[in-house]
Amino acid sequence: MIVYEKKYDVIVVGAGHAGCEAALSAARIGVSTLLLTINLDAIALMSCNPAIGGLAKGHLVKEIDALGGEMGRNIDATGIQFRVLNTRKGPAVRASRAQADKQQYRLRMKTVLEQQDNLDLKQVEVTALHLDGGAVAGVDTRGGVRFLGKTVILTTGTFMRGLIHIGLVHYPGGRAGDLPSVGLSERLVDYGFDVGRLKTGTPARLDSRTIDFNKLEPQFGDERPVPFSFSTEKIEQPQVPCHIAYTNEKSHEIIRGGLDRSPLYAGIIEGIGPRYCPSIEDKVVRFPEKERHQTFIEPEGRDTVEVYPSGMSTSLPIDIQWAFYRSIEGLERVEIMRPAYAIEYDYVNPIQLHASLETKLVPNLYHAGQINGTSGYEEAAAQGLMAGINAALQVKGKEPLVLGRHEAYIGVMIDDLVTLGTKEPYRMFTSRAEYRLLLREDNADLRLREKGHEVGLVPEETYNGFLVKKECIENELVKLSRERLTPSAAGEELLAEWDLVGMQNAISYEQLLRRPEFTCEDLSRIYPEIMELPEAVREQLGIQIKYQGYINRQLEQVDRAVKLESAKIPADMDYLSIPGLSTEVREKLDRFRPDTLGQASRIPGITPAGITILSIALKARGAR
C-alpha cells in the first residue's frame, strides 16, 4: 500500500450532496480537507428528480444556507422554476421548491469545490478504512493508495454494493452509468456496524420532442421568485414551465399485467423502499380505487430535450415501461431516452451514531446522507454540513455543534435518526417537528445565522448584514408596541373601514397588526414609514406579531424539554445494573446507548417512570 505524502485533517468519501456540503464546511472552517469520489464528473449530480426543496425539504435548505452551506446559493444560481408551496396555509408549513438545470447545478457546485481553499479533490474508489488504535486514521483505495486523515466522513449515497434492477434484469451500479463501491460495506460489518439494505428508484427520462404538450396542463413558477439563500437578493434568470399529465385505467392495466416480471413483486428486491415516494406499480397496487395518478413533466434543463415525469418511478421491464408511458394522454408517441430503474444499496443503522454524526464504534469516523438511511438531496446535504462542521471542530479540539429539536429541522432529523434508527428510507416532514411554528423557513437565519458565524462558516460581511436585519426587526417591534392610534386621529371613515367604530381608547399599531387580515400595507395609511423597511423585515413583523401567543406557548414547552436535553449520560453507563428498571427498558437503553436523557425519553418503549429512575441514577453518579 502506497501512503500519500500529504496528511489531511478531514477526508470526505463521496461527492454527492452530503459530500459537497461536508467538504466545503470543513475547508471553510479552515482545516485541510480531501474529497474523494468515484467520478469527478458526477459531483452533486441529481440522480433522481432535478429539483431542490419541497415540503419540509425547503426548510432544510434554508437552514443549510443560514449555517453557511452552499445548496441554497447553488439552486438560486441554476434554478429554472421557483415556487412557494402551501401559500394559503400558515407560515410554518409554507415551503420553497425550485426546478434545477441539472447540468448547470452540477457544474457550478464542482466549480465552487475546485476554487475552495484548503480543499483537494481526487477521483478514486475507497474500499476500506485505515484504523490506528481502534480509531479511524485514513482510507485505503482500489488503486493501492492510502490517504491519511485525522477524521473521515462517509457519504456513500447509493453506491455501497449498489444493484440496479430493470424488470428481472439486474446488474451492479452506484446509479445508472456509474460503478458501485465494492468492499467498503463488508469492512464496516467487520468493525461491528449494523449494515442493512434499502431500495429507491427513479422514473425514465423522456424525449420532450415526442410529447404533445398541447394535451397537457402547463404549470408556471411564481411571478416573483423567492430565493432560497438569504444572501440572494433576486432571481434574475427567466423561468420555464412544467406540465401536468395523468395516468388512466389503461395505464394501470398495463402495470398490473407486468407485475409478474417486477423485481419488487417477484421477491428479487430485498431492500425496503421509501414509504412516502412509492413506485407507480406500488401506487396502482396499494390504491386500486384511484382512477388516475398525477405526474409533473419537468425539464431537466434549458439546453436538453430530456424531461422527468415525477412520481412515475418504476422497476418494471422496459417493454412495460414503453407501453405504460405511452398510455398517458399527450405521451402516446413518447420515446424513452433513459429507462426507469430501482436500485438497492447498503446503509448503516444510524442508532450507532452520536448526535454529532460521529460513530459510536469507531472514533473520528462520521456518517452522512443515505448511508444513514435517509432519502433526498436536502436531507443528505444537511447531514453532510453537520458532519463537516463537527469533524472540523473535532480536529480543532472544540465541542461539536448539535442542534436541538427546537432549533432546526436539521436537529429533528438527526435526533430521529440517532435515537430511533430507521428500517426504511427516512424523509423529512413538517409533522415530525413538535415545534414547527418556531422552525419556519422565513426565520431560519434568525435561528441559525449566529451559530454558523460562531463555527466560522458565515463570513463577517454576511453576518454584519444579518445583524442589521435582526436589530431592525427588534427595534420595529418595540416601536409598533408603543405607537398608538387614537380615535380622534383616526377619523370616522378609517374607523368604519377598520371596524373600529365606537373605539374609546387608543390602540397600538401592534394590536392592529395582530388582526388576521391586517397587513403592513394597511398600517402604512397611518404609518407610511413601514413600507420603507425591507420586505423580509415586514414579513417578520407580521408573523411574529400575529402568532405571538402560539409562539410563546411553544417556547414554554421548549424550556421544559431543554432540561432533559442538557442531562448528559456517560458513555460507559451500565444500564443493566440500575435497580428499578424493567428488563425491557434496560435492554433498550443498553442497545441504543443515548447521549442525553432527552434522547432516552424518545426511544420507543422507554416509560416516564424509567426516565425518572435513570435521572436518579445519574444524580447518584454525579453526572448531572
Side-chain angles (χ1 to χ4, degrees):
M1 186 69 65
I2 302 168
V3 179
Y4 189 65
E5 58 190 18
K6 183 177 179 181
K7 183 175 180 180
Y8 292 89
D9 292 320
V10 177
I11 297 176
V12 180
V13 179
H17 303 279
C20 290
E21 295 291 350
L24 286 170
S25 58
R28 287 169 175 170
I29 288 174
V31 299
S32 61
T33 306
L34 173 64
L35 178 60
L36 303 176
T37 177
I38 288 178
N39 184 357
L40 282 171
D41 291 326
I43 285 175
L45 182 64
M46 293 177 155
S47 306
C48 199
N49 61 317
I52 294 294
L55 301 179
K57 293 171 176 283
H59 291 71
L60 289 174
V61 181
K62 293 275 190 176
E63 291 177 355
I64 290 168
D65 181 75
L67 286 166
E70 191 64 32
M71 179 173 267
R73 291 193 291 266
N74 211 55
I75 186 60
D76 283 350
T78 60
I80 56 178
Q81 188 192 98
F82 291 76
R83 294 181 67 214
V84 176
L85 311 178
N86 282 348
T87 53
R88 295 181 181 178
K89 297 184 178 181
V93 294
R94 290 174 198 156
S96 301
R97 185 181 188 274
Q99 196 69 21
D101 187 307
K102 180 176 177 176
Q103 294 303 329
Q104 289 303 313
Y105 187 95
R106 172 184 67 83
L107 290 170
R108 184 190 179 278
M109 187 67 83
K110 185 170 186 281
T111 299
V112 170
L113 289 162
E114 290 173 342
Q115 295 179 352
Q116 177 62 49
D117 293 338
N118 302 319
L119 178 59
D120 293 343
L121 284 68
K122 296 188 186 299
Q123 179 170 297
V124 297
E125 180 187 345
V126 173
T127 55
L129 300 174
H130 169 57
L131 303 187
D132 184 4
V136 74
V139 297
D140 294 339
T141 65
R142 189 166 299 284
V145 178
R146 173 172 292 169
F147 293 94
L148 299 179
K150 296 177 183 177
T151 59
V152 172
I153 305 172
L154 296 183
T155 67
T156 52
T158 60
F159 276 71
M160 288 202 305
R161 288 204 310 130
L163 189 65
I164 291 172
H165 296 268
I166 303 176
L168 302 183
V169 176
H170 56 269
Y171 56 91
R175 59 177 160 237
D178 278 316
L179 295 172
S181 170
V182 179
L184 184 55
S185 56
E186 288 87 344
R187 299 289 75 76
L188 292 174
V189 171
D190 294 341
Y191 303 142
F193 286 101
D194 177 15
V195 176
R197 200 84 169 140
L198 294 179
K199 165 252 173 188
T200 189
T202 187
R205 304 307 193 268
L206 309 177
D207 187 339
S208 62
R209 296 170 299 181
T210 60
I211 295 175
D212 185 355
F213 287 99
N214 291 322
K215 295 182 178 179
L216 306 183
E217 176 187 340
Q219 184 200 53
F220 298 95
D222 294 340
E223 288 187 17
R224 294 180 60 221
V226 177
F228 275 93
S229 174
F230 292 97
S231 303
T232 304
E233 293 185 4
K234 185 179 180 182
I235 302 298
E236 301 287 356
Q237 63 270 26
Q239 299 190 70
V240 300
C242 298
H243 290 80
I244 300 174
Y246 298 92
T247 62
N248 51 57
E249 187 51 41
K250 181 182 177 182
S251 312
H252 302 172
E253 287 177 8
I254 293 168
I255 290 168
R256 285 190 285 264
L259 291 179
D260 60 325
R261 290 189 290 145
S262 163
L264 194 62
Y265 288 92
I268 295 173
I269 292 180
E270 301 172 2
I272 300 172
R275 179 186 307 188
Y276 304 103
C277 188
S279 63
I280 186 60
E281 56 263 41
D282 248 0
K283 292 179 183 177
V284 169
V285 170
R286 287 164 55 185
F287 308 106
E289 73 283 357
K290 290 206 70 170
E291 296 180 356
R292 66 180 190 174
H293 294 279
Q294 181 178 268
T295 177
F296 291 93
I297 307 297
E298 302 173 337
E300 294 233 313
R302 298 182 192 279
D303 303 318
T304 178
V305 299
E306 286 188 83
V307 293
Y308 174 97
S310 69
M312 297 289 117
S313 66
T314 181
S315 57
L316 288 165
I318 189 65
D319 58 314
I320 302 296
Q321 293 189 33
W322 287 330
F324 153 60
Y325 284 116
R326 289 172 180 168
S327 69
I328 297 172
E329 185 177 6
L331 277 64
E332 293 87 352
R333 297 172 56 230
V334 76
E335 292 289 342
I336 293 177
M337 296 180 71
R338 308 186 202 214
Y341 64 90
I343 183 169
E344 286 186 282
Y345 56 95
D346 286 345
Y347 83 107
V348 179
N349 195 327
I351 64 167
Q352 295 179 301
L353 298 174
H354 295 292
S356 64
L357 297 182
E358 183 183 13
T359 69
K360 295 176 179 178
L361 295 179
V362 180
N364 302 334
L365 175 66
Y366 297 76
H367 290 176
Q370 283 178 286
I371 191 174
N372 289 337
T374 57
S375 170
Y377 309 144
E378 303 82 2
E379 289 88 341
Q383 293 171 72
L385 177 74
M386 298 307 295
I389 289 171
N390 287 327
L393 292 177
Q394 172 93 311
V395 170
K396 287 176 170 282
K398 297 181 179 180
E399 288 295 308
L401 174 63
V402 175
L403 300 175
R405 298 182 70 91
H406 63 287
E407 293 177 303
Y409 272 86
I410 295 175
V412 173
M413 173 181 63
I414 292 177
D415 183 68
D416 281 350
L417 292 170
V418 304
T419 303
L420 308 176
T422 188
K423 296 296 182 183
E424 62 184 45
Y426 175 100
R427 179 179 177 179
M428 195 71 245
F429 291 102
T430 55
S431 59
R432 295 190 189 274
E434 52 269 64
Y435 309 116
R436 61 184 180 182
L437 187 54
L438 303 179
L439 309 182
R440 308 182 308 275
E441 272 197 6
D442 60 83
N443 70 348
D445 59 337
L446 297 173
R447 291 184 279 120
L448 299 173
R449 198 58 120 181
E450 190 166 336
K451 293 181 183 293
H453 180 254
E454 286 175 358
V455 299
L457 280 184
V458 176
E460 284 300 323
E461 183 180 352
T462 302
Y463 184 63
N464 290 335
F466 159 73
L467 291 178
V468 170
K469 172 186 173 180
K470 183 182 177 184
E471 184 178 6
C472 182
I473 293 169
E474 292 170 351
N475 291 340
E476 202 62 31
L477 284 171
V478 171
K479 187 172 185 178
L480 291 172
S481 68
R482 290 176 177 171
E483 295 292 330
R484 297 182 178 279
L485 173 68
T486 61
S488 58
E492 292 184 7
E493 185 177 337
L494 191 62
L495 289 174
E497 187 176 337
W498 286 357
D499 197 23
L500 294 172
V501 174
M503 181 178 76
Q504 300 296 317
N505 302 314
I507 185 171
S508 71
Y509 293 176
E510 178 186 340
Q511 288 174 295
L512 287 170
L513 271 176
R514 196 171 291 149
R515 304 173 79 179
E517 303 302 322
F518 202 90
T519 66
C520 288
E521 194 169 346
D522 293 324
L523 187 62
S524 68
R525 294 176 63 180
I526 56 172
Y527 177 37
E529 295 90 342
I530 197 168
M531 296 308 292
E532 297 173 9
L533 299 172
E535 185 176 355
V537 171
R538 297 200 306 272
E539 179 185 39
Q540 283 304 307
L541 297 176
I543 292 173
Q544 291 191 33
I545 288 173
K546 281 180 169 51
Y547 294 91
Q548 185 178 24
Y550 300 103
I551 291 171
N552 288 341
R553 197 174 307 159
Q554 289 209 338
L555 288 173
E556 291 172 5
Q557 295 170 351
V558 167
D559 286 340
R560 292 193 294 269
V562 164
K563 295 177 181 177
L564 281 178
E565 299 303 330
S566 62
K568 304 288 185 184
I569 301 176
D572 61 350
M573 191 74 180
D574 183 5
Y575 298 104
L576 301 182
S577 67
I578 298 177
L581 290 178
S582 69
T583 301
E584 179 188 4
V585 170
R586 286 177 181 171
E587 289 177 349
K588 286 191 172 183
L589 288 171
D590 191 56
R591 180 186 170 219
F592 283 84
R593 306 210 65 82
D595 291 327
T596 67
L597 268 182
Q599 280 189 10
S601 70
R602 291 186 289 277
I603 297 173
I606 303 298
T607 62
I611 293 299
T612 300
I613 293 169
L614 179 56
S615 176
I616 293 170
L618 287 172
K619 286 182 179 179
R621 181 170 167 158
R624 289 190 66 189

